Coordinates of all heavy atoms in Angstrom, one line a residue:
E41 N 3.8 8.9 -27.5 CA 4.8 8.1 -26.8 C 5.6 7.2 -27.8 O 5.0 6.8 -28.8 CB 4.2 7.1 -25.8 CG 3.5 7.8 -24.6 CD 4.5 8.5 -23.7 OE1 5.7 8.3 -23.8 OE2 4.0 9.3 -22.8
A45 N 8.0 3.3 -24.4 CA 7.1 3.8 -23.4 C 5.7 3.2 -23.5 O 5.1 2.9 -22.5 CB 7.1 5.3 -23.5
W62 N 2.9 -2.8 -1.2 CA 3.3 -4.0 -0.5 C 4.7 -4.4 -0.7 O 5.4 -4.8 0.2 CB 2.3 -5.2 -0.8 CG 1.0 -5.0 -0.1 CD1 -0.2 -4.7 -0.7 CD2 0.7 -4.9 1.3 NE1 -1.2 -4.5 0.2 CE2 -0.7 -4.7 1.4 CE3 1.5 -5.1 2.4 CZ2 -1.3 -4.6 2.7 CZ3 0.9 -5.1 3.7 CH2 -0.5 -4.8 3.8
S71 N 14.6 -5.4 5.3 CA 15.7 -4.6 5.7 C 15.9 -4.5 7.2 O 17.0 -4.7 7.7 CB 15.6 -3.2 5.1 OG 16.7 -2.4 5.5
E82 N 23.6 -5.9 3.7 CA 22.4 -6.5 3.0 C 21.2 -5.7 3.4 O 20.3 -5.4 2.5 CB 22.2 -8.0 3.4 CG 23.3 -8.9 2.9 CD 24.5 -9.0 3.8 OE1 24.7 -8.2 4.7 OE2 25.3 -9.9 3.5
A83 N 21.1 -5.2 4.7 CA 19.9 -4.4 5.1 C 19.9 -3.1 4.3 O 18.8 -2.7 3.9 CB 20.0 -4.2 6.6
Q105 N -4.3 6.7 -14.9 CA -5.2 7.9 -14.9 C -5.0 8.8 -16.1 O -5.9 9.4 -16.6 CB -5.0 8.7 -13.6 CG -5.5 7.9 -12.4 CD -5.3 8.7 -11.1 OE1 -4.7 9.7 -11.1 NE2 -5.9 8.2 -10.1

Side-chain angles (χ1 to χ4, degrees):
E41 294 290 350
W62 286 111
S71 176
E82 292 88 345
Q105 292 180 351

